Amino acid sequence: MGTPVGLCYADAAYQVNDWLEIAAGVNWAQAGSGWKDTDLNAEGVNIKVKDLKIETSYVNVPVTANFYVLKGFALKTGVQFGFLTSAKLQGEATTAAATEKLDESCKDVFKKFDLSIPVGLSYEFKNHIVLDARYNIGLTKVNKEKEEGFKDGRNFSFALTVGYKFGL
C-alpha cells in the first residue's frame, strides 16, 4: 500500500555462531494510499471525489536470519507476519446536492492478515549503535475483494531504523 509513516520497533536476537543470527521482533506501522481526484457515477449519480486516501495500521512480527558477511555488517532476510489493527477512508465527495467529508472505518474491506518477505542489511558500530535498512515485499493481497477500477493491493514498505544493541 505504501511507505510506513509511523513505526515503533522492538527486536530480540540469538547469535547462533560468528556468521548467523536469528532475530524476531514486533513493530507497529502505519501505511497508506492516495488517489488522484476523480469523477464517479454510482447508480446514475455523478460524484466528484477529492483527496481520497486510505490509512492502515498493522502490528508486524518479523522473523529474520541475519548473515554476517563482514564484522558488524549483516545481510537479512526472512518472513514478516502482519495483523491489521485499523483502516480508515478519508476524503471529500461532492454531488450536485451536497459535499460530504469522508472519515470512516473501512477495516471490513481488508484482510486481517498480511505476509511479506523482509530483505535488507544492517551495520553494528563498535559502540553498539545499529543502523538497519529493510524493504518488505508484500506477498498477500490485502483487500478482500477486487473493486472495479482498483488493483489488488499489497503492502510494500521501506524502513530505516537506528537502534542500540545490548546483551542480556
Side-chain angles (χ1 to χ4, degrees):
M1 296 243 322
T3 302
V5 292
L7 185 72
C8 299
Y9 200 89
D11 207 14
Y14 176 73
Q15 192 75 39
V16 177
N17 54 37
D18 289 344
W19 58 271
L20 177 63
E21 178 181 77
I22 304 298
V26 64
N27 68 62
W28 173 82
Q30 195 175 35
S33 293
W35 289 268
K36 294 179 183 177
D37 294 351
T38 188
D39 293 321
L40 301 173
N41 188 307
E43 299 178 12
V45 176
N46 291 323
I47 304 170
K48 182 170 189 72
V49 180
K50 184 178 174 185
D51 300 325
L52 185 65
K53 65 181 179 178
I54 293 177
E55 292 181 351
T56 57
S57 296
Y58 287 85
V59 171
N60 296 312
V61 179
V63 178
T64 60
N66 305 327
F67 301 95
Y68 285 87
V69 294
L70 297 170
K71 184 157 180 68
F73 181 75
L75 301 176
K76 317 172 147 280
T77 190
V79 64
Q80 177 171 284
F81 309 98
F83 303 94
L84 181 69
T85 59
S86 70
K88 191 174 237 188
L89 175 71
Q90 297 176 319
E92 185 177 281
T94 302
T95 64
T99 297
E100 179 183 348
K101 291 278 187 190
L102 305 172
D103 189 10
E104 56 195 54
S105 173
C106 58
K107 191 175 175 183
D108 58 328
V109 301
F110 290 96
K111 294 178 182 174
K112 292 178 175 35
F113 179 75
D114 176 40
L115 183 67
S116 63
I117 300 292
V119 293
L121 50 92
S122 68
Y123 186 78
E124 182 181 342
F125 296 91
K126 290 181 182 179
N127 61 1
H128 304 289
I129 300 291
V130 179
L131 183 61
D132 184 287
R134 292 183 198 186
Y135 185 73
N136 287 299
I137 303 163
L139 297 179
T140 55
K141 297 173 186 172
V142 295
N143 47 318
K144 287 182 180 176
E145 296 179 20
K146 186 173 180 177
E147 297 290 329
E148 187 175 329
F150 291 95
K151 295 180 179 179
D152 287 326
R154 297 175 194 269
N155 285 327
F156 293 87
S157 64
F158 175 78
L160 182 62
T161 306
V162 177
Y164 184 79
K165 188 174 184 180
F166 57 91
L168 296 178

